[in-house]
Amino acid sequence: QVQLVESGGGLVQAGGSLTLTCAASGRTFSRYPMGWFRQAPGKEREFVAAITWTGLTTYYADSVKGRFTVSRDNAKNMAYLRMNTLKPEDAAVYYCALHSGDRFGSVYRLQSGYRYWGQGTQVTVSS
């Protein structure tokens, strides 16, 4: 069983930066891809970023490309989402999730392939 615990959310002014952390328990963490999703009020959960188990390949939603950076440290069972130049539309509950690994390169945007999910951390962006 894998458990994911997110932290680092909070209130930040537009244009500022914030780093989210995902701490994973379970020995299989380092062998599976993972992703970040977010859900804003009144909207469905959407894909934000993803990373392969090696950390060599990353994927980003067009809306965050160039501003967000996903990374991981398998030795520490940790994953990160660095968010720069935050915009009001970035405000949401952010979730980290661990993927099954099946056809990840083709389905990384889809929620259905992610087996474990964190509880979410709130990011609020003020203007």
Side-chain angles (χ1 to χ4, degrees):
Q1 183 77 10
V2 174
Q3 292 184 323
L4 307 175
V5 179
E6 296 136 322
S7 62
L11 175 64
V12 64
Q13 194 171 7
S17 299
L18 202 62
T19 298
L20 305 183
T21 297
C22 179
S25 63
R27 65 186 185 278
T28 63
F29 172 80
S30 64
R31 294 293 182 178
Y32 292 92
M34 67 153 296
W36 289 92
F37 290 77
R38 68 187 182 187
Q39 186 169 22
K43 300 180 65 177
E44 295 187 357
R45 189 179 298 176
E46 65 176 354
F47 168 77
V48 176
I51 186 169
T52 58
W53 74 269
T54 62
L56 296 177
T57 304
T58 57
Y59 306 91
Y60 298 94
D62 290 340
S63 59
V64 306
K65 191 173 299 182
R67 299 187 298 119
F68 290 14
T69 302
V70 61
S71 61
R72 67 192 299 169
D73 187 340
N74 290 337
K76 298 179 179 179
N77 283 344
M78 301 285 282
Y80 309 93
L81 183 68
R82 176 64 176 175
M83 305 182 294
N84 294 324
T85 320
L86 282 162
K87 305 175 180 179
E89 52 263 42
D90 294 320
V93 177
Y94 283 72
Y95 302 87
C96 65
L98 192 66
H99 201 268
S100 69
D102 297 335
R103 295 171 279 110
F104 181 69
S106 300
V107 299
Y108 59 86
R109 291 185 178 91
L110 307 180
Q111 299 177 51
S112 59
Y114 292 85
R115 181 178 299 175
Y116 301 101
W117 294 80
Q119 84 288 348
T121 185
Q122 177 72 53
V123 173
T124 303
V125 184
S126 65
S127 59

